[in-house]
Amino acid sequence: GQGFELQQPQDKVWVTAGQTLTLTCTTSGDGPNGPVKWLKGSGSGNETIYDQTGSSSRVTRAMSGSNTDFTIHIRDVQPEDAGTYYCVKFRKSLFSDVVFQSGTGTEVSIRAKPTHPVVSGPDHRVRPGQSVSFTCTAGGFFPEDIRVKWLRNEALILVQQPHITPGSTKSSYDMSSTVVVALQKDDVCSRLVCEVQHPTLKAPLREVYELSKALRVPPSIHVVVDPPRPVEVNETVSFTCAVKGFYPGDVAVTWLENGMEMKVENNSQSMEPCGLFELRNLVEVQATAEKNGSVFTCRVVHDGQEPVSEMATLGIAAPA
């Protein structure tokens, strides 16, 4: 076997996850009896990837049956396939095969695309003026060179570099990026975007978070009496409760007369230009003498919060 040579020309190889990896190995000259194998890793911890008696269905010979070309294809590579591969000629001995000649090794790195980003916000709604953290996560990518941009209505927000940790496999990474946003009333119409850029991507991955999901805008309440002046006995008086500028639209309106709940069925709800809701609720009262000085209260419960109220008094003019 003195004229035998084994050539493993590839020093480093990059391949994208899901693609087929080709590992090149050729021999020349006469060698001793014994197989040529592909091993992943060196020393006692190595793993046989291919030997001439058979291999996994993912691994095939490029030149089946050749005695000089031992190039192999590994299909559907994944991040865990990263490592150093050796083409090795063995010499048969009495008890086991012995290494006769080994290639210099091919270092294989697997490029893996990040998963689509996920943006998470607070677990409860907050009022305008409060600052809230939002987190964007993505995982399973390689190499670790990843960039994250945050945009609020397409305006760039300056944030720190993403936090990168080892992934579920030893050759992948996970990423987490956090931004703190002070929410305002008009953010019910705003969008927060997490944009992820990675060498494996032709275009950035974008995930949109509607800030309305994190915001609660409490209503303003105003009770209007028509006519506003003291009225004559038996005249009809309208009390209108105007509930304005609230979000989300979940609101319950109750009328009370001197603290006792009234039956009212007259609601109308509309939306202001920036996604805020408004509602007008009307109750009509016959101005009898015994109702003089009665207090009518509009009680509003918005999105399960504590009730807020506004009241007005019915005034009846003394007879001339």
Side-chain angles (χ1 to χ4, degrees):
Q2 290 180 344
F4 180 83
E5 278 189 28
L6 183 150
Q7 291 89 27
Q8 185 182 350
Q10 297 157 296
D11 181 27
K12 293 184 178 182
V13 173
W14 281 91
V15 64
T16 300
Q19 293 184 342
T20 296
L21 165 65
T22 298
L23 294 171
T24 303
C25 176
T26 57
T27 62
S28 59
D30 292 327
N33 256 348
V36 173
K37 301 182 182 182
W38 276 96
L39 307 179
K40 181 184 177 186
S42 58
S44 59
N46 66 40
E47 173 191 357
T48 300
I49 301 300
Y50 168 83
D51 64 33
Q52 287 174 265
T53 61
S55 59
S56 77
S57 58
R58 292 176 58 218
V59 183
T60 54
R61 286 274 299 274
M63 302 281 289
S64 181
S66 171
N67 292 322
T68 58
D69 191 331
F70 295 92
T71 298
I72 59 169
H73 301 308
I74 304 176
R75 64 177 182 80
D76 190 28
V77 291
Q78 298 302 318
E80 53 266 31
D81 291 318
T84 303
Y85 291 75
Y86 296 89
C87 183
V88 182
K89 169 68 176 175
F90 285 85
R91 174 172 54 81
K92 277 198 176 297
S93 79
L94 193 56
F95 299 108
S96 64
D97 296 337
V98 177
V99 173
F100 176 71
Q101 198 173 118
S102 174
T104 53
T106 301
E107 186 184 332
V108 174
S109 299
I110 311 295
R111 287 191 181 97
K113 295 179 180 180
T115 57
H116 194 87
V118 174
V119 177
S120 55
D123 55 7
H124 59 276
R125 295 181 183 273
V126 302
R127 283 173 168 250
Q130 290 186 263
S131 292
V132 180
S133 292
F134 297 89
T135 300
C136 180
T137 55
F141 56 89
F142 193 88
E144 64 180 307
D145 173 28
I146 197 165
R147 287 180 292 162
V148 179
K149 285 202 303 189
W150 285 93
L151 302 111
R152 181 183 192 173
N153 296 331
E154 299 304 318
L156 188 64
I157 306 173
L158 293 178
V159 292
Q160 292 183 329
Q161 288 298 309
H163 181 58
I164 296 172
T165 54
S168 55
T169 67
K170 64 181 179 180
S171 297
S172 69
Y173 294 95
D174 295 337
M175 173 281 297
S176 175
S177 175
T178 299
V179 66
V180 177
V181 177
L183 296 181
Q184 305 302 328
K185 186 169 70 170
D186 56 4
D187 278 324
V188 296
C189 298
S190 295
R191 310 171 88 213
L192 193 63
V193 177
C194 173
E195 189 176 280
V196 174
Q197 294 172 304
H198 189 257
T200 58
L201 299 171
K202 292 180 180 177
L205 299 174
R206 287 167 63 97
E207 179 64 10
V208 176
Y209 186 100
E210 302 290 345
L211 286 178
S212 58
K213 291 195 293 184
L215 195 59
R216 179 188 296 112
V217 183
S220 64
I221 304 169
H222 184 54
V223 175
V224 179
V225 184
D226 183 33
R229 54 176 172 72
V231 296
E232 302 296 328
V233 173
N234 293 328
E235 196 172 341
T236 299
V237 182
S238 297
F239 292 87
T240 302
C241 185
V243 187
K244 292 188 174 182
F246 58 93
Y247 192 92
D250 177 21
V251 73
V253 178
T254 309
W255 281 98
L256 309 174
E257 181 179 355
N258 297 327
M260 298 293 290
E261 191 169 321
M262 305 169 66
K263 284 190 177 180
V264 178
E265 294 178 8
N266 190 0
N267 267 330
S268 66
Q269 189 160 319
S270 62
M271 197 178 231
E272 291 181 9
C274 192
L276 295 173
F277 291 92
E278 66 174 34
L279 176 147
R280 299 175 75 81
N281 194 292
L282 172 72
V283 63
E284 292 185 330
V285 176
Q286 195 78 16
T288 58
E290 58 266 32
K291 288 187 185 290
N292 189 26
S294 290
V295 176
F296 292 86
T297 304
C298 174
R299 185 176 66 190
V300 176
V301 176
H302 175 236
D303 195 35
Q305 302 302 293
E306 287 296 310
V308 287
S309 302
E310 177 86 3
M311 58 186 66
T313 304
L314 174 63
I316 298 177

